[in-house]
Structures are given as structure tokens and as C-alpha cells.
């Protein structure tokens, strides 16, 4: 995984509720959500371009995490690997890269960051040698972090692991359909109908 889950969505939430959210935290605490998203997107595209040169064809599968968040992208990944008889995965949620600022903003607004839009995040499946991904990253892509979040399996279990608790990922709502399937729509709707509540804790 290269980049940060839910960053684009949490940035929108922050700018929408900036006055309220800034009142809960020290000055400048949420500045990471003010960084130009185009900077992160450029890093992602550069990293992807480098991977295409670094790996042979079919050695590395890369999925951009966009609408639907990381859960949607993991389902996309599994669908893309079916032809290779790879049907499942084990993902350690503690290893999923997410800014603390994203966590704070989502907790305050009741949004699930794992189902929140990103546009500068890649999930990469290295089918040859996982050290290759790390070596490529170490050659100059330090603008964002890289983390090994799990591995693929030949069984049907799509496990999300959090400490000693495992659960299967269900197919995301609205998968491959036209209706919205992202938490950002839930946030926007709550803003429009007046039900949005920013928790003070």
C-alpha cells in the first residue's frame, strides 16, 4: 500500500467543517489535510510509472483506491486476480496507512475511513518478489509511506484482521453499479439535510 487511506474524503470533510473541527484541536494540528491533493496524486502516478518499468509484465498488479475506499479497492483486487486462482486475502488493518488527522476527522463526523474516497493511494500485489516493491520505493518515493498490509490466498476467505479478531469482508454496497457507494455521499447528505453533527467528545 502506497499512500494514505481516506485522505481525499477527510480533506473535504475538514474544509466543510473547518471552523468546528479547528476548535477541538491545537492550532495547526490538522494541517496535513490542507496539503494540495495534486501533490499526492503526482507522487502516486510517478510511483506507478516506476513500477511499470521495474517489474516484468504481470508481475505486479496495482489498484488505485478511489470511490468506495480501501474496502472497495480490495474487492477490485480480488476480482482482478481470479484468473490466477487467487480468490482471497488476509489484510492486517493495523498496517493500513492512515493519517491520524483522517482518523480524528472521521471519528468526529461518524464516517468510516475504510469506505472513504481516496485519489492518491495504490494497493500493489507483488507476484514475483516483495522486496522489489521496497527497493523501488527506496529509490526516491519518500513523499508518502509504503506498508505491507497483507497477502493474497487461494481460498475464498477475505479476512480483515484487527489484533486477535478476524472478519470476512463482504462485497461493498453498490459494487460496480451506478449508485454512490462511498461514505463521502453519506457526509454530504447529512450536511444538506441538516443532520450533520460534529462530535465534541
Amino acid at each position: 500500500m502506497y499512500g494514505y487511506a481516506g485522505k481525499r474524503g477527510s480533506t473535504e470533510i475538514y474544509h466543510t467543517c473547518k471552523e468546528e473541527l479547528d476548535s477541538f484541536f491545537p492550532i495547526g494540528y490538522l494541517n496535513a489535510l490542507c496539503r494540495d491533493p495534486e501533490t499526492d496524486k503526482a507522487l502516486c502516478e510517478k510511483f506507478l510509472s516506476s513500477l511499470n518499468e521495474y517489474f516484468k509484465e504481470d508481475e505486479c498488479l496495482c489498484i488505485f483506491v478511489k470511490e468506495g475506499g480501501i474496502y472497495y479497492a480490495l474487492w477490485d483486487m480480488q476480482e482482478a486476480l481470479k484468473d490466477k486462482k487467487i480468490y482471497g486475502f488476509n489484510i492486517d488493518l493495523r498496517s493500513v496507512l492512515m493519517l491520524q488527522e483522517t482518523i480524528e476527522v472521521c471519528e468526529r463526523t461518524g464516517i468510516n475511513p475504510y469506505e472513504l474516497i481516496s485519489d492518491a493511494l495504490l494497493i500493489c500485489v507483488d507476484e514475483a518478489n516483495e522486496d522489489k516493491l521496497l527497493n523501488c520505493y527506496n529509490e526516491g518515493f519518500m513523499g508518502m509511506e509504503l506498508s505491507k498490509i497483507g497477502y493474497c490466498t487461494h481460498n475464498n476467505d477475505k479476512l480483515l484482521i484487527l489484533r486477535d479478531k478476524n472478519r470476512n469482508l463482504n462485497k461493498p454496497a453498490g459494487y460496480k453499479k451506478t449508485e454512490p457507494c462511498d461514505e463521502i455521499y453519506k457526509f454530504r447528505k447529512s450536511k444538506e439535510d441538516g443532520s450533520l453533527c460534529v462530535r465534541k467528545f
Side-chain angles (χ1 to χ4, degrees), residues 145-186:
E145 293 180 76
L146 181 78
S147 173
K148 181 178 178 181
I149 63 171
Y151 56 89
C152 296
T153 64
H154 293 288
N155 61 43
N156 288 315
D157 294 334
K158 299 167 186 64
L159 292 179
L160 302 174
I161 302 164
L162 185 59
R163 299 184 178 86
D164 59 344
K165 294 182 180 179
N166 300 346
R167 73 174 180 87
N168 263 291
L169 178 66
N170 296 319
K171 182 184 287 190
Y175 184 74
K176 297 297 184 186
K177 296 181 181 178
T178 55
E179 62 263 27
C181 58
D182 194 286
E183 284 282 274
I184 198 64
Y185 295 105
K186 171 184 169 182

Side-chain angles (χ1 to χ4, degrees), residues 43-76:
L43 282 168
C44 249
E45 287 165 3
K46 185 179 177 184
F47 185 62
L48 181 60
S49 177
S50 181
L51 288 177
N52 289 336
E53 296 175 7
Y54 212 84
F55 286 86
K56 295 177 183 178
E57 188 176 359
D58 293 332
E59 275 190 342
C60 185
L61 169 71
C62 291
I63 301 287
F64 264 104
V65 182
K66 296 184 178 179
E67 189 173 294
I70 192 165
Y71 287 167
Y72 196 99
L74 287 171
W75 203 273
D76 267 347

